Amino acid sequence: MIKLIGLKIVFKPTMTVIGLQKEPSKKTAVTKGDHYHCLFDAKRLSQYDYSDSEKQGYCSTDGRIWFCKDCFEKVQQKHKLSVVKNTIETVENALRNYSDVIISLNNEQYFLKNENDKIVVKHNGLVKIYDDILSMEREQHFYSKPLREIIDDIFIAEGN
């Protein structure tokens, strides 16, 4: 049983975990709104540099339920919640459609954008410009690794 500010949630084998077994979650960088809160420990999840917040977490695919990484991993171990995998194709398609992409890990973020068919990557005040998506994938390292090697670890958001 988990208590959250007077709310009791009891997990039984026949119950869904607050609808999450029906609704898969995804590893998401926080990009919209001021902030969200983890469903279980109320940790703040925000795109802004609040001292007590994280810039990434797990979000239901409908955007209604958020977990911080620690809480999600605990619940996921016990209840085998499904997670939508991040893929290279997701990043490529977003950039082809001129949607911004944010890649986040350990509260460190990269910002990717397609500007006039050039791929712009911003990180810690540095800007790199690539002729196309393929050259960005070959040359750019995220957290000291190529995108293909880190895709399963990172949190991704897309949007303008």
Side-chain angles (χ1 to χ4, degrees), residues 9 34 46 52 62 135 141:
I9 302 170
D34 180 58
S46 176
D52 62 339
D62 66 4
S135 62
H141 281 190

Side-chain angles (χ1 to χ4, degrees), residues 116-133:
N116 301 317
D117 293 324
K118 301 279 187 189
I119 305 303
V120 179
V121 179
K122 296 179 182 179
H123 175 67
N124 287 340
L126 299 174
V127 178
K128 292 186 179 177
I129 300 172
Y130 299 94
D131 287 331
D132 53 36
I133 294 170

Side-chain angles (χ1 to χ4, degrees), residues 79-137:
H79 296 282
K80 306 294 185 230
L81 303 178
S82 62
V83 178
V84 176
K85 288 192 168 252
N86 289 321
T87 65
I88 298 293
E89 291 75 23
T90 300
V91 174
E92 292 171 343
N93 289 336
L95 291 171
R96 279 189 196 101
N97 291 318
Y98 295 92
S99 289
D100 297 349
V101 175
I102 295 90
I103 295 175
S104 186
L105 183 66
N106 300 323
N107 291 323
E108 185 179 337
Q109 296 185 319
Y110 289 82
F111 300 88
L112 289 67
K113 185 176 206 143
N114 184 336
E115 292 181 359
N116 301 317
D117 293 324
K118 301 279 187 189
I119 305 303
V120 179
V121 179
K122 296 179 182 179
H123 175 67
N124 287 340
L126 299 174
V127 178
K128 292 186 179 177
I129 300 172
Y130 299 94
D131 287 331
D132 53 36
I133 294 170
L134 186 58
S135 62
M136 182 271 299
E137 287 178 13

Side-chain angles (χ1 to χ4, degrees), residues 54-90:
E54 294 185 8
K55 293 186 175 190
Q56 66 273 325
Y58 288 82
C59 178
S60 59
T61 53
D62 66 4
R64 295 181 303 142
I65 300 171
W66 284 84
F67 287 102
C68 68
K69 184 177 183 252
D70 292 338
C71 288
F72 185 84
E73 288 173 355
K74 288 175 190 171
V75 172
Q76 206 279 334
Q77 284 176 357
K78 185 170 182 164
H79 296 282
K80 306 294 185 230
L81 303 178
S82 62
V83 178
V84 176
K85 288 192 168 252
N86 289 321
T87 65
I88 298 293
E89 291 75 23
T90 300

